[in-house]
């Protein structure tokens, strides 16, 4: 039987545990979402998040092992995401994972959450290196050239807000609630994206960096110019215009990134929570088709935060003979490309 990894995730507002095998089978992937806990505040409350991770993680691990039909002694490694994220949360998966690994005499890997997102396409679609990755989540928006396990070159990043943050803030402004991305996408589906003229950030600029704070401000100004409370039609149309501006910006930057890469990628991959968005998937599909490569987006359950991607990243490192480097540190800030911004 191929190697089995237990993955643990607690970087933001999802506690997750999963068992994955080195042949790419997800035996179990359980997620306890804290959405209801944070909803009254309209965003993640770090202290409450950390406490909830602590309460849930061991129950989830037990359930993930049971669902996978394996015992601790069947595992080959334990993998915790060790950053970037909220420190109180990181400590939960790191401390728990390290102690569990030690008790079971297993190797422990502390891996980068972004590496989990970056390698998911290899778990789901066996994508070969090198590929171009658009990683878009609540905290990050980056274009990465993925050359191999542990070899990530950042081509562009956001100069201010992340794409997911823009979805979330615009949704809040429009009274669509939390989390904003899925709510805004739903509202946008009935809207007219041409009624409001919003800026398309960074369109045509050299390089492939992003910027979303101006768009957020423009949405606020448009909303302020309308009668309050906003009519349902206004909300739909503004949501559609916002989504279309974000999708256009992500697509334009991705097109520019393709000019910067050393060779044709095997695929155009999109990952992170924002990858769940259909308008964005459609825009990226047409870019991929234009260069004759597939567009790969993980299934919805593996787009947002989950522990299967963490377990898989640990397995990839093990198979590649990298690590474990057990310094036991949690890293609230942890760039995937250590040279980013220094070249
Ligand atoms: O990767 P993720 O689950 O967590 C982070 O690491 O941030 O991404 C969460 C982000 C949130 O900003 C959420 O609003 C956004 O992904 N998101 C979406 C959609 N589903 C989730 N944004 C746009 N459309 C969606 N369908
Ligand atoms: Zn994430």
């Amino acid at each position: 039987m191929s190697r089995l990894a237990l993955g643990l995730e607690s970087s933001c507002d999802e506690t997750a545990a999963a068992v994955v095998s080195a042949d790419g089978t997800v035996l179990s992937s359980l997620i306890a979402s804290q959405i209801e806990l944070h909803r009254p505040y309209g965003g993640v409350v770090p202290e409450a998040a950390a406490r909830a991770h602590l309460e849930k993680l061991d129950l989830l691990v037990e359930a993930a092992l049971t669902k996978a039909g394996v015992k601790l002694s069947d595992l080959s490694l334990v993998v915790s995401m060790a950053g970037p994220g909220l420190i109180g949360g990181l400590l939960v998966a790191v401390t728990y994972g390290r102690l569990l690994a030690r008790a079971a005499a297993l190797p422990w890997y502390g891996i980068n959450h972004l590496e989990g997102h970056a390698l998911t396409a290899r778990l789901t679609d066996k994508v070969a290196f090198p590929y171009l990755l658009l990683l878009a989540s609540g905290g990050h928006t980056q274009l990465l050239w993925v050359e191999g396990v542990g070899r990530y070159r950042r081509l562009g990043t956001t100069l201010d807000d992340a794409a997911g943050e823009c979805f979330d803030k615009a949704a809040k402004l429009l009274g669509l609630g939390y989390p904003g991305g899925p709510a805004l996408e739903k509202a946008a589906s009935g809207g007219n994206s041409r009624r409001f003229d919003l800026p398309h950030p960074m369109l045509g600029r050299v390089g492939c960096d992003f910027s979303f704070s101006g768009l957020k401000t423009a949405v606020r100004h448009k909303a302020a110019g309308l009668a309050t409370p906003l009519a349902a039609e206004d909300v739909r149309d503004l949501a559609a215009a916002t989504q279309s501006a974000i999708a256009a910006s992500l697509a334009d930057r991705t097109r520019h990134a393709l000019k910067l890469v050393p060779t044709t990628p095997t695929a155009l991959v999109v990952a992170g929570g924002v990858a769940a968005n259909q308008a964005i998937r459609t825009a990226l599909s047409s870019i991929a088709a234009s260069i004759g490569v597939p567009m790969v987006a993980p299934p919805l359950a593996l787009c947002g935060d989950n522990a299967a991607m963490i377990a898989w990243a640990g397995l990839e490192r093990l198979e590649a003979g990298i690590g474990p480097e057990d310094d036991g540190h949690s890293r609230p800030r942890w760039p995937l490309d250590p040279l980013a911004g220094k070249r």
Side-chain angles (χ1 to χ4, degrees):
M1 192 178 178
S2 64
R3 285 168 165 145
L4 293 175
L6 171 70
L8 309 173
E9 160 65 43
S10 60
S11 63
C12 190
D13 60 348
E14 259 108 25
T15 320
V19 178
V20 175
S21 76
D23 67 9
T25 311
V26 178
L27 282 83
S28 61
S29 177
L30 303 181
I31 301 173
S33 165
Q34 301 177 0
I35 285 179
E36 293 311 322
L37 175 68
H38 301 296
R39 196 189 296 282
Y41 309 98
V44 179
V45 181
E47 183 57 37
R51 238 175 293 148
H53 288 308
L54 201 56
E55 272 166 26
K56 292 277 162 60
L57 192 59
D58 58 344
L59 296 173
L60 272 182
V61 167
E62 224 179 291
L65 292 172
T66 305
K67 182 149 188 236
V70 302
K71 300 186 294 296
L72 210 48
S73 56
D74 296 324
L75 299 173
S76 302
L77 67 162
V78 177
V79 192
S80 306
M81 86 49 245
L86 301 169
I87 185 67
L90 302 183
L91 284 168
V92 176
V94 169
T95 311
Y96 186 95
R98 285 183 83 213
L99 290 176
L100 187 69
R102 191 163 299 175
L106 292 169
W108 175 81
Y109 280 72
I111 70 120
N112 189 312
H113 174 92
L114 303 177
E115 182 169 50
H117 282 303
L119 297 176
T120 299
R122 291 173 49 77
L123 165 64
T124 58
D125 293 80
K126 305 213 174 333
V127 174
F129 298 119
Y131 52 88
L132 180 66
L133 170 73
L134 171 64
L135 174 58
S137 67
H140 301 271
T141 307
Q142 307 187 349
L143 278 154
L144 291 151
W145 181 241
V146 182
E147 293 176 303
V149 179
R151 291 166 56 210
Y152 312 103
R153 193 144 71 82
R154 198 178 78 187
L155 305 168
T157 187
T158 181
L159 305 176
D160 41 56
D161 294 351
E165 207 176 338
C166 188
F167 269 108
D168 291 337
K169 288 180 176 164
K172 199 169 175 179
L173 263 163
L174 298 176
L176 291 169
Y178 164 89
L184 194 139
E185 178 171 23
K186 200 161 158 231
S189 73
N192 169 10
S193 64
R194 288 168 211 269
R195 179 173 151 212
F196 294 102
D197 188 22
L198 291 175
H200 286 189
M202 308 293 276
L203 213 68
R205 291 265 195 102
V206 177
C208 57
D209 283 335
F210 303 87
S211 165
F212 291 103
S213 71
L215 176 58
K216 173 191 66 190
T217 310
V219 176
R220 184 176 325 110
H221 284 152
K222 292 282 183 213
L226 296 164
T228 50
L230 293 178
E233 193 186 354
D234 294 341
V235 170
R236 284 197 297 269
D237 292 349
L238 256 180
T242 306
Q243 176 175 270
S244 145
I246 296 174
S249 177
L250 293 175
D252 176 75
R253 307 288 72 206
T254 303
R255 252 181 252 112
H256 275 238
L258 283 170
K259 294 182 194 152
L260 304 175
V261 300
T263 165
T264 306
T266 60
L268 173 56
V269 176
V270 57
V274 177
N277 187 282
Q278 200 50 54
I280 291 168
R281 289 182 177 216
T282 305
L284 294 174
S285 290
S286 78
I287 298 175
S290 74
I291 56 161
V293 302
M295 197 283 285
V296 176
L300 291 189
L302 295 177
C303 278
D305 290 347
N306 66 88
M309 69 179 191
I310 303 300
W312 177 252
L315 283 163
E316 287 256 43
R317 286 196 161 246
L318 183 73
E319 303 272 314
I322 309 171
E325 298 144 32
D326 182 5
D327 64 5
H329 287 164
S330 301
R331 300 181 176 89
R333 296 182 67 83
W334 188 0
L336 201 47
D337 175 355
L339 297 175
K342 295 187 181 139
R343 287 190 192 90

